[in-house]
Amino acid sequence: MLYGRLDDLREQTSRRLARVLLESGGTPQARSERDTATAMHSSDLAQYSAVENGLCFGRLDFEDGEHQHIGRIGIFRTEGDYEPLLMDWRAPAARPFYLATAASPDGVTRRRHIRTRRRNVVGLDDEVLDLAQAVPGRNEGLVGEATLLAAVGASRTGRMSDIVATIQAEQDKIIRSELNGVLVVQGGPGTGKTAVALHRAAYLLYTHRRQLEKRGVLVVGPNSTFLNYISQVLPSLGETGVLLNTVGELYPGLKAVGGEPVEVGAVKGRLVMADVLAAAVRDRQWVPRDGIEIPHERETLVLDRKTLADARGRARRSRRPHNAARPVFEREIIGALARLIAHRLGAQFLDSDDVADIRAELREDERVMAAIDKLWPILTPEQLLTDLYASEKRLGAAGRALSPRERQLLRRDPGAEWTPADAPLLDEAAELLGEDDRALKAAAAAKRRQDLAYAQGVLDILDLQDESDPDVLMAVDMLDADALVARVAQGDYLTAAERAADDRTWTFGHVIVDEAQELSEMAWRVLMRRCPSRSMTVVGDIAQTGDLAGTSSWGQVLSPYVANRWRLAELTVNYRTPAEIMAVATDVLASLDPDAVPPSSVRDSGLPPWHEKVAADGLKDAVAVAVEREVARLEDGRLAVLVPRSLAGAFAVGGDDLESPVVVLTVGQAKGLEFDSVLLVEPESMLTESPRGANDLYVAMTRATKRLGVLHTGELPAILSKLASFSLDSE
């Protein structure tokens, strides 16, 4: 019945979309209505396809004998009072599915968890919430315990799955937290931070659709691997219009794929770089000490330092960005040159029209404009940053707040690939430079004139060919060139997310930041510009900070923007990591912060994590043997080989496609991911390669849902002493 209604909705929407696409849209209002309807029907069709698998996952039975099915979207009956066939999981009436317990049943007598594969039911799990019928000793802390444990113990596929059927009470509270303000979700590994953040995005769009749909929701992840891993979660929840990006991708057109030493990235991420870039822009607003000589026609015009400084001062006082202030500077310089020429010709004999002609001639003189370009050039962010990195002189002038070593770290030759740490600097530079949009406006006006001329030509031809009855209205009688251009304009039918992806200045209704502890101070500036309303969900774990530019305190990164007006929510239960692995990882956490409380694991695996010492010249072979052994035990699961940065590319035992059975990743690439089994190679190198090596080791150890093995050539680090020695017998 549910799927039949879903098929009906899909068919009805397809017909409506087909009808709308046939409409020409005569008036501006009609075109707007057509575009809106097209976007709406297209979005509905995408939603119906996305929720096909697992459409209904629960049922609530109430004391009054009524029952309600819970699912990914709301579906209503066509007959009667339009009652719900399926209640959207985000609706307030569905909340008892996640919160009701035997102690506080909220009118629910039974909660049923329904497991499906395609359109077939493959499993049921009933929870009786009537205290008189409840099973003594049952763990009431976990909602749908059997379904939850089945989900966390299932083999991984290389893509993150939603948790809509197994959301727990502490997660539900965060998901449904109010929209406004900055919410920080702090949680250890395996607590479901990412899943909670994505389900929160779906909930906010459902609850505040009108407010958020126009500006959109942005989800920011640490890298493209992570974004690919989570890419199917929101569509499976019926939301297809959310933009997923890294910080670097918020700068349109940028391919930030270059590598650089971690120390360089740490310098680029510091807040002081905002001052360095501002100084670099001011440094390009040049006033020569001895003035400047500018050839014009058959004479040389000389502007002294004071005249140039006055022109620069007036342009700066306009408070416009550098490129937008260029017309002010240009006007002042042209004016000063025109006064020199007028003085030589005899100003008393010239009227305003004569002076205007002089100004026009100066603007048309390439040598004059080249001199102005030298004094106040139009710059792109890429050009500003490239020139800054390439010149020790420019770095010295702009980087006085940096140490000599830090300036040397930034030095690089032109042509190098942009790195992720460059992206926030390019965005900052774009803010400082702005745009001189005169050329863009002129091009748009020229295109408009061209379109009008073409349209008028078409109408003229139709008029010449018209030999019909003069009393019959023809196209030329009802359309002029303006109307024809407007009528043939093509609608782009873009969602807010699609428009935002190509617009650096777009501001979002809500921003969700995952692995937020890794963001640099400069990256936070980018995100705050994208969200002036400060409606944000910030998700992370300070103990997992691995980037040298990352943070060790939420207050440190948020206070400059919202002072103490942010709220903290914590996740305390580890659903991913078995207790056996967490017992070892807890020692690593204690080395970072003796007072830190690790999340409590909900399950044991019965598989103790192990270590094996191998010969240095036999490491590659040992890794290959261990991979073969683990794959044989995993059946259809996923294995990750996690290596230090120094060994990236050293092992040909897998690829980097998360859907392949074996992947080889650095710890940074594995942030936020999970695998059935993990082989961790050379933990001592992970510890020593970075000042935050213990953080990296903690992250690496907590990626596994079932098995963990450690291979090392030197002595095992003391903080891993609880690992069991490997033996084939124990396997």
Side-chain angles (χ1 to χ4, degrees):
M1 186 176 184
L2 282 175
Y3 279 105
R5 180 70 180 124
L6 181 67
D7 291 340
D8 289 343
L9 290 170
R10 184 184 288 118
E11 183 179 351
Q12 292 167 12
T13 305
S14 295
R15 288 199 301 266
R16 289 169 184 159
L17 177 60
R19 283 199 301 268
V20 168
L21 290 175
L22 291 175
E23 296 176 3
S24 60
T27 65
Q29 179 179 347
R31 288 193 298 275
S32 176
E33 292 172 352
R34 177 196 62 190
D35 295 350
T36 300
T38 299
M40 179 182 69
H41 296 323
S42 299
S43 176
D44 287 346
L45 279 176
Q47 183 187 64
Y48 298 148
S49 297
V51 300
E52 171 76 24
N53 191 36
L55 174 63
C56 174
F57 54 79
R59 169 176 149 163
L60 293 174
D61 293 349
F62 298 96
E63 292 173 346
D64 59 6
E66 295 293 322
H67 68 270
Q68 181 65 65
H69 285 89
I70 311 298
R72 296 176 182 276
I73 61 172
I75 295 179
F76 296 87
R77 301 178 189 273
T78 54
E79 69 281 354
D81 296 329
Y82 203 61
E83 295 177 351
L85 274 174
L86 186 66
M87 182 70 70
D88 193 303
W89 68 274
R90 296 165 287 189
R95 200 169 191 191
F97 186 77
Y98 302 109
L99 298 184
T101 65
S104 179
D106 200 14
V108 178
T109 60
R110 182 176 66 173
R111 173 172 45 225
R112 169 169 287 179
H113 292 265
I114 304 170
R115 296 194 299 278
T116 60
R117 184 175 296 116
R118 297 185 177 90
R119 297 191 172 193
N120 299 313
V121 176
V122 297
L124 299 173
D125 174 36
D126 284 349
E127 293 178 272
V128 178
L129 303 185
D130 186 336
L131 283 175
Q133 303 179 44
V135 178
R138 183 181 180 89
N139 183 358
E140 296 298 343
L142 297 177
V143 174
E145 183 174 357
T147 303
L148 172 65
L149 294 180
V152 298
S155 296
R156 269 39 190 174
T157 64
R159 292 292 186 99
M160 186 178 188
S161 301
D162 63 71
I163 62 168
V164 66
T166 58
I167 293 171
Q168 300 300 297
E170 70 171 4
Q171 298 173 328
D172 183 79
K173 182 179 179 181
I174 293 170
I175 289 170
R176 298 176 192 264
S177 182
E178 64 181 276
L179 171 67
N180 295 330
V182 177
L183 172 65
V184 176
V185 182
Q186 164 72 34
T191 54
K193 297 184 298 296
T194 298
V196 167
L198 295 174
H199 287 67
R200 175 163 167 75
Y203 170 78
L204 291 176
L205 281 165
Y206 173 85
T207 309
H208 306 279
R209 179 80 58 188
R210 183 170 297 180
Q211 182 176 348
L212 293 179
E213 200 163 45
K214 184 176 180 180
R215 298 311 308 170
V217 173
L218 169 68
V219 175
V220 177
N223 52 56
S224 57
T225 301
F226 175 85
L227 293 179
N228 184 53
Y229 175 66
I230 69 171
S231 62
Q232 296 304 311
V233 175
L234 281 166
S236 75
L237 298 174
E239 297 298 342
T240 57
V242 175
L243 180 63
L244 275 62
N245 262 348
T246 64
V247 173
E249 290 168 336
L250 292 178
Y251 189 87
L254 180 68
K255 299 293 184 183
V257 296
E260 63 189 354
V262 292
E263 295 86 352
V264 177
V267 174
K268 291 178 179 179
R270 289 175 52 201
L271 193 58
V272 71
M273 287 302 297
D275 296 329
V276 172
L277 291 176
V281 172
R282 291 194 297 272
D283 185 53
R284 303 302 292 268
Q285 298 162 358
W286 183 47
V287 172
R289 181 176 303 174
D290 300 323
I292 190 170
E293 296 182 351
I294 302 176
H296 175 61
E297 294 183 346
R298 297 182 179 180
E299 59 182 327
T300 298
L301 305 174
V302 179
L303 295 179
D304 60 24
R305 178 178 175 80
K306 182 180 183 306
T307 301
L308 297 174
D310 288 345
R312 181 177 68 177
R314 180 157 302 202
R316 286 178 174 177
R317 286 194 298 274
S318 72
R319 298 189 178 277
R320 300 176 186 174
H322 173 85
N323 290 335
R326 157 65 184 258
V328 179
F329 181 78
E330 182 181 311
R331 184 180 67 240
E332 294 298 312
I333 296 299
I334 293 294
L337 294 173
R339 287 192 292 274
L340 286 178
I341 295 173
H343 178 74
R344 292 184 183 182
L345 294 176
Q348 66 274 23
F349 302 114
L350 303 177
D351 59 21
S352 59
D353 289 339
D354 295 325
V355 175
D357 289 341
I358 294 173
R359 288 173 178 269
E361 290 174 1
L362 287 167
R363 284 195 171 89
E364 292 173 0
D365 189 324
E366 292 182 357
R367 294 175 297 177
V368 171
M369 297 310 294
I372 294 176
D373 285 340
K374 190 174 182 180
L375 296 168
W376 192 294
I378 296 292
L379 297 168
T380 66
E382 292 84 352
Q383 182 182 353
L384 177 73
L385 215 55
T386 296
D387 292 349
L388 178 65
Y389 289 158
S391 169
E392 291 184 8
K393 180 179 179 181
R394 293 197 187 281
L395 280 169
R400 292 189 176 93
L402 301 174
S403 69
R405 182 176 181 277
E406 289 171 334
R407 292 197 293 270
Q408 188 57 42
L409 285 172
L410 293 177
R411 173 73 177 83
R412 77 180 187 201
D413 293 331
E417 287 185 310
W418 296 112
T419 71
D422 288 324
L425 302 186
L426 289 168
D427 195 83
E428 184 78 21
E431 288 291 309
L432 294 168
L433 293 173
E435 289 187 7
D436 180 4
D437 59 358
R438 290 176 296 176
L440 293 175
K441 288 180 178 178
K447 177 68 165 55
R448 170 73 176 169
R449 290 193 297 271
Q450 182 181 4
D451 290 344
L452 286 172
Y454 181 82
Q456 188 59 56
V458 170
L459 293 174
D460 290 343
I461 293 172
L462 290 174
D463 193 30
L464 288 172
Q465 295 176 344
D466 184 11
E467 298 178 357
S468 60
D469 187 337
D471 294 330
V472 177
L473 288 176
M474 303 299 292
V476 292
D477 300 313
M478 297 181 290
L479 288 175
D480 59 12
D482 277 306
L484 181 58
V485 168
R487 185 157 188 164
V488 300
Q490 295 295 313
D492 53 17
Y493 314 130
L494 296 180
T495 65
E498 290 168 330
R499 296 195 303 274
D502 294 325
D503 185 352
R504 192 196 66 82
T505 63
W506 189 276
T507 58
F508 293 88
H510 191 79
V511 172
I512 293 175
V513 190
D514 205 348
E515 299 294 339
Q517 74 279 354
E518 302 296 334
L519 295 187
S520 69
E521 292 172 312
M522 289 302 295
W524 280 108
R525 284 177 66 86
V526 175
L527 293 180
M528 292 299 174
R529 281 195 288 270
R530 299 299 190 276
C531 192
S533 68
R534 303 296 189 258
S535 177
M536 305 178 77
T537 302
V538 175
V539 181
D541 180 15
I542 296 299
Q544 297 186 60
T545 304
D547 197 308
L548 290 185
T551 188
S552 58
S553 164
W554 296 122
Q556 176 184 341
V557 294
L558 294 175
S559 293
Y561 308 101
V562 295
N564 61 352
R565 298 185 304 277
W566 54 277
R567 57 194 193 276
L568 176 68
E570 295 193 67
L571 293 169
T572 61
V573 180
N574 187 336
Y575 304 98
R576 176 203 303 146
T577 315
E580 294 88 346
I581 296 176
M582 204 61 208
V584 183
T586 296
D587 289 344
V588 181
L589 178 62
S591 72
L592 293 167
D593 181 0
D595 298 324
V597 178
S600 56
S601 297
V602 300
R603 64 194 175 97
D604 301 324
S605 68
L607 301 169
W610 53 267
H611 76 95
E612 181 180 8
K613 185 175 181 179
V614 300
D617 58 359
L619 180 60
K620 290 185 179 180
D621 291 337
V623 169
V625 170
V627 166
E628 184 178 357
R629 187 172 62 235
E630 288 296 314
V631 169
R633 289 173 169 80
L634 280 178
E635 298 179 355
D636 60 347
R638 298 293 183 270
L639 166 67
V641 180
L642 302 186
V643 301
R645 283 187 297 272
S646 58
L647 293 179
F651 303 102
V653 293
D656 57 4
D657 181 357
L658 295 181
E659 296 190 55
S660 63
V662 182
V663 293
V664 181
L665 302 170
T666 64
V667 179
Q669 292 171 323
K671 279 283 174 76
L673 310 183
E674 61 183 27
F675 307 90
D676 298 270
S677 181
V678 168
L679 284 176
L680 197 159
V681 181
E682 295 289 34
E684 184 64 32
S685 294
M686 290 184 182
L687 287 170
T688 58
E689 279 186 351
S690 166
R692 287 181 167 162
N695 304 70
D696 289 341
L697 184 58
Y698 182 59
V699 170
M701 296 187 67
T702 53
R703 299 306 95 196
T705 66
K706 296 176 182 175
R707 304 168 59 86
L708 172 67
V710 176
L711 295 172
H712 55 103
T713 57
E715 292 302 313
L716 186 71
I719 54 177
L720 301 182
S721 61
K722 288 182 181 177
L723 288 172
S725 296
F726 172 78
S727 71
L728 287 175
D729 293 338
S730 65
E731 288 286 293

